[in-house]
Amino acid sequence: LVAGITVVSLTASALAQEKSYGGEDRDWNVAPTAALRTSAYHAPTPRTIPGGRVVRTTELDAMRAASPRPYLIDVLGGETHHTIAGAFWLAGAGAGDLNADEGRRFHDAVAKFAAGDRNRPIVFFCADSQCWLSYNAALRAIAAGYTNIMWYRGGLAAWGHAGLPLTQSEPFAW
């Protein structure tokens, strides 16, 4: 208490929480796994991903202006929707049970984005921090040997909550 005013000191962790959007940092105590999830895609996710890294909204927004700009890949299934401006929509690419042909198409699409550079920054995302589709897609790219794979755990919910630009999704032929 200073001159009748309560002074609150925030730790770095508390300040980081202040910049969290749409539940992107929520911890459900789910252990990370290298196994693809093949059902119940809408469920709490881990806070980390083996072999990749999690990006938060403020960092992803800043990365969009960086060079090289990361490829943003929306893997949400279903109908057209609003997605992050500049993202490519690979509808259904996050399913854990892709058949062999779908798996090859996924790897071909990622190879096109990476243009032969296995260290090219690629960010996978879907609906929110309770969506396993982007986790699966990121794991699939990591298993294929890509070394700069990021998972935007907060997804479209966090991006929208932050008031950042969205656009109508257009399916990418993969």
Side-chain angles (χ1 to χ4, degrees):
L1 190 62
V2 177
I5 300 171
T6 302
V7 176
V8 177
S9 175
L10 296 176
T11 64
S13 175
L15 285 171
Q17 274 303 96
E18 292 296 318
K19 295 180 182 176
S20 177
Y21 297 96
E24 67 187 339
D25 287 333
R26 185 160 181 193
D27 189 354
W28 288 283
N29 295 312
V30 175
T33 178
L36 297 175
R37 190 174 185 112
T38 59
S39 64
Y41 296 123
H42 184 74
T45 59
R47 292 193 62 196
T48 62
I49 186 166
R53 115 180 143 81
V54 176
V55 293
R56 296 173 65 221
T57 303
T58 52
E59 180 183 9
L60 182 56
D61 186 35
M63 289 170 61
R64 292 175 62 230
S67 181
R69 184 176 179 258
Y71 278 100
L72 307 178
I73 303 176
D74 177 347
V75 296
L76 192 60
E79 303 295 318
T80 59
H81 56 277
H82 284 97
T83 191
I84 298 172
F88 294 93
W89 179 35
L90 300 180
D97 56 357
L98 296 180
N99 64 39
D101 183 51
E102 292 167 330
R104 276 190 299 279
R105 288 192 350 246
F106 173 84
H107 290 294
D108 289 348
V110 173
K112 285 178 188 174
F113 294 127
D117 180 0
R118 291 204 174 260
N119 194 42
R120 177 73 191 221
I122 301 174
V123 180
F124 291 95
F125 67 92
C126 56
D128 56 28
S129 60
Q130 291 192 70
C131 184
W132 283 83
L133 297 172
S134 53
Y135 190 91
N136 281 348
L139 284 178
R140 201 173 264 120
I142 292 163
Y146 291 91
T147 58
N148 199 358
I149 298 299
M150 291 163 268
W151 172 43
Y152 178 38
R153 183 176 185 250
L156 295 170
W159 196 259
H161 186 257
L164 294 166
L166 293 165
T167 189
Q168 187 65 37
S169 62
E170 298 273 337
F172 181 81
W174 63 284

